[in-house]
Structures are given as structure tokens and as C-alpha cells.
Short mmCIF file of all heavy atoms in Angstrom, two decimals:
data_model
loop_
_atom_site.label_atom_id
_atom_site.label_comp_id
_atom_site.label_asym_id
_atom_site.label_seq_id
_atom_site.Cartn_x
_atom_site.Cartn_y
_atom_site.Cartn_z
N LEU A 9 -10.77 -116.43 5.67
CA LEU A 9 -10.67 -115.07 6.20
C LEU A 9 -10.24 -115.13 7.65
O LEU A 9 -10.87 -115.82 8.46
CB LEU A 9 -12.03 -114.35 6.08
CG LEU A 9 -12.11 -112.94 6.67
CD1 LEU A 9 -11.22 -111.98 5.89
CD2 LEU A 9 -13.55 -112.44 6.67
N GLU A 10 -9.15 -114.44 7.97
CA GLU A 10 -8.67 -114.38 9.33
C GLU A 10 -8.74 -112.94 9.83
O GLU A 10 -8.32 -112.01 9.13
CB GLU A 10 -7.23 -114.88 9.43
CG GLU A 10 -7.08 -116.37 9.12
CD GLU A 10 -5.65 -116.86 9.30
OE1 GLU A 10 -4.80 -116.03 9.69
OE2 GLU A 10 -5.40 -118.05 9.07
N LEU A 11 -9.28 -112.75 11.01
CA LEU A 11 -9.41 -111.43 11.61
C LEU A 11 -8.53 -111.35 12.84
O LEU A 11 -8.72 -112.09 13.81
CB LEU A 11 -10.87 -111.16 11.99
CG LEU A 11 -11.18 -109.79 12.59
CD1 LEU A 11 -10.90 -108.70 11.57
CD2 LEU A 11 -12.64 -109.74 13.04
N ASN A 12 -7.51 -110.49 12.79
CA ASN A 12 -6.59 -110.31 13.90
C ASN A 12 -7.07 -109.14 14.75
O ASN A 12 -6.80 -107.97 14.43
CB ASN A 12 -5.18 -110.06 13.37
CG ASN A 12 -4.14 -109.98 14.49
OD1 ASN A 12 -4.48 -110.01 15.68
ND2 ASN A 12 -2.88 -109.88 14.12
N THR A 13 -7.79 -109.42 15.80
CA THR A 13 -8.37 -108.37 16.63
C THR A 13 -7.33 -107.70 17.54
O THR A 13 -7.62 -106.67 18.15
CB THR A 13 -9.50 -108.93 17.50
OG1 THR A 13 -8.99 -110.01 18.29
CG2 THR A 13 -10.63 -109.43 16.62
N SER A 14 -6.14 -108.28 17.62
CA SER A 14 -5.11 -107.68 18.48
C SER A 14 -4.38 -106.54 17.79
O SER A 14 -3.70 -105.75 18.43
CB SER A 14 -4.09 -108.75 18.90
OG SER A 14 -3.38 -109.23 17.77
N LYS A 15 -4.53 -106.45 16.46
CA LYS A 15 -3.87 -105.38 15.71
C LYS A 15 -4.95 -104.47 15.12
O LYS A 15 -5.63 -104.83 14.17
CB LYS A 15 -3.00 -105.97 14.59
CG LYS A 15 -2.18 -104.93 13.84
CD LYS A 15 -1.29 -105.59 12.78
CE LYS A 15 -0.46 -104.54 12.05
NZ LYS A 15 0.40 -105.15 11.00
N THR A 16 -5.10 -103.32 15.70
CA THR A 16 -6.16 -102.41 15.28
C THR A 16 -5.58 -101.17 14.60
O THR A 16 -4.44 -100.78 14.86
CB THR A 16 -7.01 -101.96 16.48
OG1 THR A 16 -6.16 -101.30 17.42
CG2 THR A 16 -7.68 -103.15 17.14
N GLY A 17 -6.37 -100.57 13.75
CA GLY A 17 -5.99 -99.31 13.11
C GLY A 17 -6.70 -98.15 13.76
O GLY A 17 -7.23 -98.26 14.86
N ARG A 18 -6.70 -97.04 13.06
CA ARG A 18 -7.42 -95.89 13.60
C ARG A 18 -8.93 -96.13 13.47
O ARG A 18 -9.38 -96.86 12.59
CB ARG A 18 -7.03 -94.63 12.82
CG ARG A 18 -5.66 -94.09 13.19
CD ARG A 18 -5.47 -92.73 12.56
NE ARG A 18 -5.58 -92.83 11.11
CZ ARG A 18 -4.55 -92.77 10.28
NH1 ARG A 18 -3.35 -92.61 10.75
NH2 ARG A 18 -4.72 -92.87 8.99
N PRO A 19 -9.72 -95.51 14.32
CA PRO A 19 -11.17 -95.71 14.24
C PRO A 19 -11.75 -95.14 12.95
O PRO A 19 -11.29 -94.11 12.45
CB PRO A 19 -11.70 -94.95 15.46
CG PRO A 19 -10.64 -93.96 15.79
CD PRO A 19 -9.35 -94.62 15.43
N PHE A 20 -12.75 -95.83 12.43
CA PHE A 20 -13.48 -95.36 11.25
C PHE A 20 -14.66 -94.54 11.75
O PHE A 20 -15.57 -95.07 12.39
CB PHE A 20 -13.94 -96.54 10.41
CG PHE A 20 -14.82 -96.17 9.25
CD1 PHE A 20 -14.33 -95.39 8.22
CD2 PHE A 20 -16.14 -96.60 9.19
CE1 PHE A 20 -15.14 -95.04 7.14
CE2 PHE A 20 -16.96 -96.26 8.12
CZ PHE A 20 -16.45 -95.48 7.09
N ILE A 21 -14.65 -93.24 11.47
CA ILE A 21 -15.70 -92.36 12.00
C ILE A 21 -17.04 -92.67 11.34
O ILE A 21 -18.08 -92.65 11.98
CB ILE A 21 -15.31 -90.88 11.79
CG1 ILE A 21 -14.03 -90.56 12.57
CG2 ILE A 21 -16.43 -89.96 12.23
CD1 ILE A 21 -13.47 -89.18 12.29
N GLY A 22 -17.02 -92.93 10.03
CA GLY A 22 -18.26 -93.23 9.34
C GLY A 22 -18.33 -92.53 7.99
O GLY A 22 -17.33 -92.05 7.47
N PHE A 23 -19.53 -92.45 7.45
CA PHE A 23 -19.76 -91.85 6.14
C PHE A 23 -20.24 -90.41 6.28
O PHE A 23 -20.98 -90.08 7.20
CB PHE A 23 -20.80 -92.66 5.35
CG PHE A 23 -20.28 -93.99 4.88
CD1 PHE A 23 -20.54 -95.14 5.59
CD2 PHE A 23 -19.52 -94.07 3.72
CE1 PHE A 23 -20.06 -96.37 5.16
CE2 PHE A 23 -19.03 -95.29 3.28
CZ PHE A 23 -19.31 -96.44 4.01
N GLY A 24 -19.81 -89.59 5.33
CA GLY A 24 -20.29 -88.22 5.26
C GLY A 24 -20.98 -88.00 3.93
O GLY A 24 -21.32 -88.94 3.22
N GLY A 25 -21.16 -86.73 3.58
CA GLY A 25 -21.81 -86.44 2.32
C GLY A 25 -21.46 -85.06 1.81
O GLY A 25 -21.13 -84.16 2.58
N ASN A 26 -21.48 -84.93 0.48
CA ASN A 26 -21.33 -83.63 -0.17
C ASN A 26 -22.72 -83.04 -0.37
O ASN A 26 -23.58 -83.68 -0.99
CB ASN A 26 -20.61 -83.77 -1.51
CG ASN A 26 -19.12 -83.93 -1.34
OD1 ASN A 26 -18.40 -82.95 -1.24
ND2 ASN A 26 -18.65 -85.16 -1.27
N PHE A 27 -22.93 -81.84 0.11
CA PHE A 27 -24.24 -81.20 0.04
C PHE A 27 -24.15 -79.89 -0.73
O PHE A 27 -24.76 -78.90 -0.37
CB PHE A 27 -24.79 -80.99 1.45
CG PHE A 27 -25.01 -82.28 2.19
CD1 PHE A 27 -24.02 -82.83 2.98
CD2 PHE A 27 -26.20 -82.97 2.06
CE1 PHE A 27 -24.21 -84.02 3.64
CE2 PHE A 27 -26.41 -84.17 2.72
CZ PHE A 27 -25.41 -84.70 3.52
N ARG A 28 -23.39 -79.93 -1.81
CA ARG A 28 -23.32 -78.78 -2.71
C ARG A 28 -24.60 -78.73 -3.55
O ARG A 28 -25.01 -79.75 -4.11
CB ARG A 28 -22.11 -78.91 -3.64
CG ARG A 28 -21.91 -77.72 -4.55
CD ARG A 28 -20.82 -77.99 -5.58
NE ARG A 28 -20.59 -76.83 -6.43
CZ ARG A 28 -19.92 -76.86 -7.58
NH1 ARG A 28 -19.42 -78.01 -8.00
NH2 ARG A 28 -19.76 -75.77 -8.29
N LEU A 29 -25.22 -77.59 -3.62
CA LEU A 29 -26.49 -77.44 -4.34
C LEU A 29 -26.20 -77.09 -5.79
O LEU A 29 -25.92 -75.95 -6.13
CB LEU A 29 -27.34 -76.36 -3.67
CG LEU A 29 -27.69 -76.62 -2.19
CD1 LEU A 29 -28.32 -75.40 -1.57
CD2 LEU A 29 -28.61 -77.83 -2.07
N GLN A 30 -26.29 -78.09 -6.66
CA GLN A 30 -26.00 -77.89 -8.09
C GLN A 30 -27.24 -77.99 -8.96
O GLN A 30 -27.42 -77.23 -9.89
CB GLN A 30 -24.96 -78.91 -8.57
CG GLN A 30 -23.57 -78.68 -8.00
CD GLN A 30 -22.59 -79.75 -8.47
OE1 GLN A 30 -22.54 -80.83 -7.91
NE2 GLN A 30 -21.84 -79.44 -9.50
N ASN A 31 -28.09 -78.97 -8.65
CA ASN A 31 -29.29 -79.19 -9.46
C ASN A 31 -30.52 -78.94 -8.60
O ASN A 31 -30.88 -79.76 -7.76
CB ASN A 31 -29.31 -80.62 -10.00
CG ASN A 31 -30.40 -80.84 -11.03
OD1 ASN A 31 -31.48 -80.30 -10.92
ND2 ASN A 31 -30.09 -81.65 -12.04
N PRO A 32 -31.18 -77.79 -8.78
CA PRO A 32 -32.31 -77.44 -7.90
C PRO A 32 -33.49 -78.39 -8.01
O PRO A 32 -34.33 -78.45 -7.10
CB PRO A 32 -32.69 -76.02 -8.36
CG PRO A 32 -32.14 -75.90 -9.75
CD PRO A 32 -30.91 -76.74 -9.78
N LYS A 33 -33.58 -79.16 -9.11
CA LYS A 33 -34.71 -80.07 -9.28
C LYS A 33 -34.53 -81.37 -8.51
O LYS A 33 -35.48 -81.90 -7.93
CB LYS A 33 -34.92 -80.37 -10.77
CG LYS A 33 -35.42 -79.17 -11.58
CD LYS A 33 -35.68 -79.58 -13.03
CE LYS A 33 -36.21 -78.40 -13.84
NZ LYS A 33 -36.47 -78.78 -15.26
N THR A 34 -33.32 -81.90 -8.53
CA THR A 34 -33.11 -83.23 -7.95
C THR A 34 -32.34 -83.22 -6.63
O THR A 34 -32.53 -84.12 -5.81
CB THR A 34 -32.34 -84.13 -8.94
OG1 THR A 34 -31.08 -83.51 -9.26
CG2 THR A 34 -33.15 -84.31 -10.22
N ASP A 35 -31.48 -82.24 -6.40
CA ASP A 35 -30.65 -82.24 -5.19
C ASP A 35 -31.46 -82.27 -3.90
O ASP A 35 -31.13 -83.03 -2.98
CB ASP A 35 -29.69 -81.06 -5.19
CG ASP A 35 -28.53 -81.25 -6.16
OD1 ASP A 35 -28.40 -82.37 -6.69
OD2 ASP A 35 -27.76 -80.30 -6.38
N PRO A 36 -32.51 -81.44 -3.75
CA PRO A 36 -33.25 -81.46 -2.48
C PRO A 36 -33.81 -82.84 -2.13
O PRO A 36 -33.75 -83.26 -0.97
CB PRO A 36 -34.38 -80.45 -2.73
CG PRO A 36 -33.81 -79.50 -3.73
CD PRO A 36 -32.99 -80.37 -4.64
N GLU A 37 -34.32 -83.56 -3.13
CA GLU A 37 -34.87 -84.89 -2.88
C GLU A 37 -33.78 -85.87 -2.42
O GLU A 37 -33.98 -86.65 -1.49
CB GLU A 37 -35.55 -85.42 -4.14
CG GLU A 37 -36.23 -86.76 -3.96
CD GLU A 37 -36.92 -87.25 -5.23
OE1 GLU A 37 -36.87 -86.53 -6.26
OE2 GLU A 37 -37.51 -88.33 -5.20
N VAL A 38 -32.63 -85.81 -3.09
CA VAL A 38 -31.51 -86.69 -2.73
C VAL A 38 -31.01 -86.36 -1.32
O VAL A 38 -30.75 -87.26 -0.51
CB VAL A 38 -30.37 -86.57 -3.75
CG1 VAL A 38 -29.16 -87.36 -3.29
CG2 VAL A 38 -30.83 -87.05 -5.12
N ILE A 39 -30.88 -85.06 -1.04
CA ILE A 39 -30.40 -84.64 0.27
C ILE A 39 -31.35 -85.08 1.37
O ILE A 39 -30.93 -85.62 2.41
CB ILE A 39 -30.20 -83.11 0.29
CG1 ILE A 39 -28.98 -82.74 -0.56
CG2 ILE A 39 -30.03 -82.59 1.72
CD1 ILE A 39 -28.84 -81.25 -0.82
N ASP A 40 -32.65 -84.87 1.16
CA ASP A 40 -33.64 -85.27 2.17
C ASP A 40 -33.56 -86.77 2.43
O ASP A 40 -33.62 -87.21 3.58
CB ASP A 40 -35.05 -84.90 1.70
CG ASP A 40 -35.30 -83.39 1.73
OD1 ASP A 40 -34.50 -82.67 2.35
OD2 ASP A 40 -36.29 -82.94 1.10
N TYR A 41 -33.41 -87.55 1.36
CA TYR A 41 -33.34 -89.00 1.53
C TYR A 41 -32.10 -89.40 2.33
O TYR A 41 -32.18 -90.22 3.25
CB TYR A 41 -33.32 -89.69 0.17
CG TYR A 41 -33.23 -91.20 0.26
CD1 TYR A 41 -34.38 -91.97 0.38
CD2 TYR A 41 -31.99 -91.84 0.28
CE1 TYR A 41 -34.31 -93.35 0.49
CE2 TYR A 41 -31.91 -93.22 0.40
CZ TYR A 41 -33.07 -93.97 0.50
OH TYR A 41 -32.99 -95.33 0.64
N CYS A 42 -30.96 -88.82 1.98
CA CYS A 42 -29.71 -89.17 2.65
C CYS A 42 -29.74 -88.80 4.14
O CYS A 42 -29.34 -89.59 5.00
CB CYS A 42 -28.53 -88.49 1.97
SG CYS A 42 -28.15 -89.14 0.33
N LEU A 43 -30.24 -87.62 4.44
CA LEU A 43 -30.27 -87.18 5.84
C LEU A 43 -31.28 -87.96 6.66
O LEU A 43 -31.13 -88.10 7.87
CB LEU A 43 -30.55 -85.68 5.91
CG LEU A 43 -29.44 -84.78 5.36
CD1 LEU A 43 -29.83 -83.32 5.44
CD2 LEU A 43 -28.12 -85.01 6.10
N LYS A 44 -32.30 -88.48 5.99
CA LYS A 44 -33.32 -89.26 6.69
C LYS A 44 -32.87 -90.70 6.92
O LYS A 44 -33.18 -91.30 7.95
CB LYS A 44 -34.63 -89.25 5.90
CG LYS A 44 -35.77 -90.02 6.56
CD LYS A 44 -37.03 -89.95 5.70
CE LYS A 44 -38.16 -90.76 6.35
NZ LYS A 44 -39.40 -90.73 5.54
N ASN A 45 -32.11 -91.26 5.98
CA ASN A 45 -31.82 -92.69 6.01
C ASN A 45 -30.38 -93.06 6.33
O ASN A 45 -30.10 -94.23 6.59
CB ASN A 45 -32.20 -93.31 4.66
CG ASN A 45 -33.69 -93.27 4.39
OD1 ASN A 45 -34.44 -94.10 4.90
ND2 ASN A 45 -34.13 -92.29 3.61
#
């Protein structure tokens, strides 16, 4: 594995998430976990 630090791309901002409320039983738990961790 070779890493060429002189040639860079655009910055990676990070991960996001879809927070559409579809399943009232499970979505809140998943959302709380994701936003906490």
C-alpha cells in the first residue's frame, strides 16, 4: 500500500443520516443511538 500525500482530493466531511420517521416502534431507538454514538 502506497499513500501519496502530495496528491489530495476534496475533504471528506463525514457521515450523515436519514431521519425519516417510518416505524414508530423502532425508529426512535435507532435515532437516539445514532445521535448519541
Side-chain angles (χ1 to χ4, degrees):
L9 176 66
E10 294 184 1
L11 182 64
N12 185 354
T13 57
S14 65
K15 185 178 181 181
T16 60
R18 284 190 301 254
F20 174 64
I21 297 173
F23 289 97
N26 282 274
F27 297 91
R28 184 188 182 195
L29 300 170
Q30 290 178 278
N31 190 323
K33 291 183 179 180
T34 58
D35 285 352
E37 183 179 0
V38 173
I39 289 169
D40 289 345
Y41 180 87
C42 290
L43 292 179
K44 181 180 178 180
N45 293 280

